[in-house]
Amino acid sequence: IRVPAKLYRAPTYPECSTAFTPITEFGAPVKASHFSITPDFTFINHGAFGGALKESVTLKRQFEDLMEHQLLDFVDRKLLPWMVNSIRSMADFISCSPEDLVLVPNATYGVNAAMSIIDGADKVAYLDTEYGSVYKMLWFRAKATGASIHEIPINKHLHSSTLRSNEELTAHIERSLPEGCTAFVIDHITSTTALEFPVFTHIIPMLRRVGVKKIIVDGAHAPLQIDLNLNELPPAARPSVYVGNLHKWMSSAKSVGFMWVPKDVQELITPPVRSHGASEGFTSEFIWDGTRDYSAS
């Protein structure tokens, strides 16, 4: 994972029997050609559980078959180099170092891991637009560690001047922070209300300025809707953890997402499932956690 790009040589892959036909017309032709969605429905809730491209599902099934043909060869010899190559490819796509990126089954897994940076001394703030399962993760982490959690209202301001501009929204959040706030959890794009928060341009710089050191961004809905150039972020705009899904708007086969963590935070992060890579470094902690389906990765 540390090999410089100029020296890195990607592993070989078996020939695949799928070819991606270029998309020429958006809308119904794309749906008919590239998705398996029933023609009886116009599916508008792609953000819920995604919708995989036919080609992506075909590739995934071919890797499943390849694994079953020779399990030891697949798991012991081919899997890790392929996973490293996938990490490096994803790192190129979101403009970050591959050493700071790991693939995870989904954003839920990634945010569970991110919660390990929160400890008993923390005062954690979050918005009431937060995704339900993330709130539960935060609540259980606070219960386990003794951290305190504080909700900031946004929903009641959806039609008020509070959301009229990024500056007014950010000022509202700053006014609502608990005294001595040390941690913050926020969606990049909210699930139900579909709000895109100015996390990099306004909110994180404000949080850094007032002394909030631990910032978790749940970007489950962001990849392919928002250009992510994480290495280009100035230090004052960088979160502690950024998590994203690839089975939503990127239309990958399930289950694969990613977690980006700057090097100075990585030693605080532990995966929900620990295996042979435990305590062997950030990549090793997350790259393999036993026998499961890695074919989407």
Side-chain angles (χ1 to χ4, degrees), residues 11 74-86 287-288:
F74 183 93
V75 176
D76 283 348
R77 294 171 177 84
K78 292 186 170 67
L79 177 61
L80 294 186
W82 284 344
M83 291 288 287
V84 166
N85 193 50
S86 293
I287 200 167
W288 190 78

Side-chain angles (χ1 to χ4, degrees), residues 14-296:
E15 288 190 22
C16 298
S17 61
T18 185
F20 187 86
T21 304
I23 295 174
T24 55
E25 185 179 352
F26 201 67
V30 170
K31 174 184 168 185
S33 298
H34 298 289
F35 291 89
S36 300
I37 300 167
T38 174
D40 298 334
F41 287 85
T42 298
F43 191 60
I44 61 173
N45 194 14
H46 205 72
F49 307 108
L53 292 164
K54 290 179 181 177
E55 295 85 352
S56 178
V57 173
T58 298
L59 283 170
K60 181 180 187 297
R61 289 171 179 167
Q62 289 180 15
F63 274 99
E64 289 175 347
D65 289 340
L66 185 66
M67 177 176 66
E68 296 302 333
H69 287 164
Q70 189 20 295
L71 282 165
L72 287 177
D73 182 64
F74 183 93
V75 176
D76 283 348
R77 294 171 177 84
K78 292 186 170 67
L79 177 61
L80 294 186
W82 284 344
M83 291 288 287
V84 166
N85 193 50
S86 293
I87 292 170
R88 295 181 71 107
S89 297
M90 191 64 210
D92 285 343
F93 185 73
I94 62 173
S95 300
C96 73
S97 168
E99 295 179 53
D100 299 337
L101 187 76
V102 290
L103 298 180
V104 293
N106 48 51
T108 298
Y109 187 104
V111 177
N112 267 281
M115 289 294 169
S116 58
I117 71 174
I118 294 171
D119 59 40
D122 283 317
K123 288 186 177 180
V124 191
Y126 67 97
L127 307 182
D128 66 356
T129 53
E130 189 54 68
Y131 190 56
S133 72
V134 175
Y135 165 74
K136 286 192 172 184
M137 295 176 215
L138 181 57
W139 187 89
F140 279 107
R141 181 66 181 176
K143 183 179 180 182
T145 62
S148 61
I149 57 176
H150 307 264
E151 184 174 275
I152 295 175
I154 293 292
N155 279 314
K156 70 179 183 180
H157 298 293
L158 290 179
H159 302 289
S160 74
S161 61
T162 300
L163 299 186
R164 184 166 50 195
S165 69
N166 291 335
E167 290 74 19
E168 292 189 47
L169 168 65
T170 305
H172 167 69
I173 294 174
E174 182 175 0
R175 289 192 301 269
S176 305
L177 290 172
E179 184 177 355
C181 181
T182 59
F184 198 85
V185 180
I186 186 172
D187 284 332
H188 198 161
I189 299 176
T190 61
S191 178
T192 306
T193 45
L195 296 170
E196 179 188 343
F197 288 128
V199 291
F200 299 136
T201 58
H202 292 74
I203 296 176
I204 293 177
M206 175 274 293
L207 293 171
R208 295 297 189 196
R209 177 173 53 79
V210 300
V212 179
K213 297 185 181 301
K214 301 174 182 179
I215 303 169
I216 299 170
V217 177
D218 178 6
H221 295 261
L224 213 62
Q225 290 206 82
I226 297 173
D227 288 333
L228 296 173
N229 299 292
L230 299 176
N231 271 355
E232 296 180 8
L233 294 174
R238 292 185 179 186
S240 307
V241 184
Y242 189 99
V243 177
N245 269 328
L246 303 183
H247 66 266
K248 293 181 182 292
W249 303 103
M250 287 193 69
S251 302
S252 169
K254 294 125 182 111
S255 307
V256 62
F258 68 87
M259 181 171 66
W260 175 80
V261 184
K263 289 179 179 59
D264 60 341
V265 183
Q266 290 174 8
E267 64 180 15
L268 303 176
I269 300 285
T270 54
V273 177
R274 310 196 79 168
S275 189
H276 288 290
S279 75
E280 299 294 334
F282 184 56
T283 305
S284 294
E285 285 268 13
F286 285 88
I287 200 167
W288 190 78
D289 54 15
T291 305
R292 63 173 172 87
D293 184 4
Y294 295 87
S295 54

